[in-house]
Amino acid sequence: QRQMCIRDRAQTSHELAESAEHVVRVLEDEVAKAQPLLERYGYAGVAGAISVEGFGLPAPGQTLLMAAALESARGHLNIGLVMVLAVLAAVMGNSLGYLIGKLGGRPLLRKLGVNETREAKIAALFERFGGGIVILARFFDGPRQLNGIIAGMLEMRWWVFTAFNIVGAVVWVSVWGFG
C-alpha cells in the first residue's frame, strides 16, 4: 500500500510538471505573438492596450505587459517606466469604464434581459464584495475588461471604486511586470 501511495505521488508530481510546462509554453507563445506590437509601438502600445482593456474592448494588455517586462529584463526597456505607465493606464482605463457604465449602463442591462430583481441581487453582491471584485477581476480575462463598467452600472461609490481600482492596478501590474 505504501508503494502505491509513493507511485501515486510520483504520478501526480509528473502530471503537475507537465501541466506547468504546458502553461509556460502557452505564455511563451502568447508573448511571442505580442512581440511585434511591442517592437512597433513600445511603451505607448503597452499603455494603450491596457487602457483600452479597462473600458471594455478586447486588447492584449496583459500580454504586452508581460512582453514589456521580458524586454526590460533584457535591457531594452526601462521596467520602472513600464510599471508606472501600466498602472496609470489600468487606472485610467477602468475609470473610463466606470464612467461609461454610470452614464449608459442601465439601458444596456435592460437590453440584456436583466430584470430589476436580478440587478438588485448583483448590486447587493457588489456592495458587499465590490472592492474585492474590482481587485480580483484584474486577473481574469472578461472581468478585467468589464469590472469598471459593471461598477459604474451598479453605482458603486466613486471613491470606493477608485481606491480599489488603484490597489488592483498596482497588484496586477506588479504580478505580471515583476513576475
Side-chain angles (χ1 to χ4, degrees):
Q1 188 174 12
R2 187 170 184 205
Q3 285 181 336
M4 285 177 54
C5 184
I6 292 171
R7 213 172 335 172
D8 288 345
R9 285 185 191 159
Q11 185 177 3
T12 302
S13 296
H14 179 71
E15 290 170 356
L16 285 173
E18 285 181 350
S19 180
E21 288 174 14
H22 174 72
V23 168
V24 168
R25 280 194 305 274
V26 168
L27 285 173
E28 287 173 345
D29 289 347
E30 291 303 312
V31 168
K33 289 177 190 173
Q35 199 66 33
L37 291 172
L38 183 60
E39 289 172 3
R40 183 171 182 154
Y41 299 108
Y43 297 108
V46 175
I50 290 172
S51 66
V52 164
E53 264 189 344
F55 59 86
L57 298 176
Q62 182 170 297
T63 307
L64 280 174
L65 174 58
M66 291 187 302
L70 291 172
E71 287 299 303
S72 296
R74 294 180 184 135
H76 299 136
L77 294 174
N78 180 308
I79 190 66
L81 185 55
V82 167
M83 302 293 274
V84 167
L85 288 173
V87 168
L88 291 174
V91 170
M92 290 187 330
N94 270 21
S95 295
L96 182 55
Y98 179 94
L99 185 62
I100 290 169
K102 185 123 177 132
L103 297 177
R106 299 253 180 235
L108 179 61
L109 280 179
R110 297 299 167 255
K111 285 182 182 179
L112 294 173
V114 177
N115 62 33
E116 290 181 20
T117 305
R118 180 78 173 143
E119 180 185 336
K121 288 179 182 178
I122 295 170
L125 184 67
F126 224 84
E127 182 65 31
R128 185 170 180 191
F129 302 109
I133 292 170
V134 170
I135 292 171
L136 288 177
R138 291 263 182 213
F139 292 91
F140 300 96
D141 284 332
R144 178 174 51 254
Q145 289 82 359
L146 299 175
N147 81 68
I149 294 170
I150 292 169
M153 204 180 312
L154 298 176
E155 298 182 10
M156 183 179 198
R157 290 178 305 231
W158 171 253
W159 68 270
V160 172
F161 171 77
T162 300
F164 284 102
N165 186 23
I166 291 168
V167 170
V170 168
V171 171
W172 177 72
V173 168
S174 296
V175 165
W176 291 111
F178 290 131

